[in-house]
Amino acid sequence: MQALNETELLERLSQPHRAFLLLLHTAHCSQCKIADARVKRVEQNPVLHVDFLTCNLDEAPRIHELFKIRSVPVCMAYNEKNELLRVEYGLKSEAVYESMALGVNTQKGNPKSRLLGF
């Protein structure tokens, strides 16, 4: 996963790129650390053609305000047009994170190779 600071994330959000999953977290949140590990495992799936990004909200107060974050971790799925398609608050299973990535995956791949068949 690529860690972005506040400025880099705001720039990424302003210009269309490849589809991506964004994990927002804080440094001292134990659930955030588990979410990070789960998303990193999903990132290893070779079928996914999605960027995986992360941002520490402790160092990005404008991001916190922009998205009106209620709790952490929060994972957001964006398509290649920078449209927010899905938001999941709190710690989720690896399958949920994978389904988020599959939902914005630009190359759908073989359905038999996908975990949830989306």
Side-chain angles (χ1 to χ4, degrees), residues 23-25 29 31-32 35 71-75 88-91 97:
L23 180 65
L24 301 175
H25 63 90
C29 169
Q31 290 190 354
C32 295
S71 65
V72 289
V74 60
C75 190
E88 293 287 343
Y89 282 92
L91 181 61
Y97 297 130

Side-chain angles (χ1 to χ4, degrees), residues 12 16-21 46-52 77-83 85 98-110 114 118:
R12 175 68 187 250
H17 285 88
R18 199 163 100 150
F20 63 95
L21 231 61
V47 173
L48 299 175
H49 298 278
V50 175
D51 291 336
F52 291 84
Y78 284 85
N79 65 14
E80 65 279 352
K81 298 175 187 173
N82 271 8
E83 299 168 331
L85 298 183
E98 184 168 18
S99 74
M100 292 177 75
L102 287 168
V104 295
N105 194 22
T106 55
Q107 297 177 6
K108 297 296 182 186
N110 179 353
R114 294 183 277 162
F118 291 105

Side-chain angles (χ1 to χ4, degrees), residues 13-74:
L13 291 169
S14 69
Q15 299 176 14
H17 285 88
R18 199 163 100 150
F20 63 95
L21 231 61
L22 171 62
L23 180 65
L24 301 175
H25 63 90
T26 59
H28 301 293
C29 169
S30 60
Q31 290 190 354
C32 295
K33 292 174 184 172
I34 296 168
D36 183 69
R38 290 178 181 176
V39 172
K40 283 180 181 175
R41 282 193 296 271
V42 170
E43 183 180 20
Q44 301 306 311
N45 185 338
V47 173
L48 299 175
H49 298 278
V50 175
D51 291 336
F52 291 84
L53 311 174
T54 185
C55 182
N56 182 349
L57 291 177
D58 293 331
E59 300 169 358
R62 290 189 308 177
I63 299 299
H64 190 277
E65 293 172 17
L66 176 68
F67 290 110
K68 298 176 178 40
I69 302 299
R70 303 181 306 223
S71 65
V72 289
V74 60

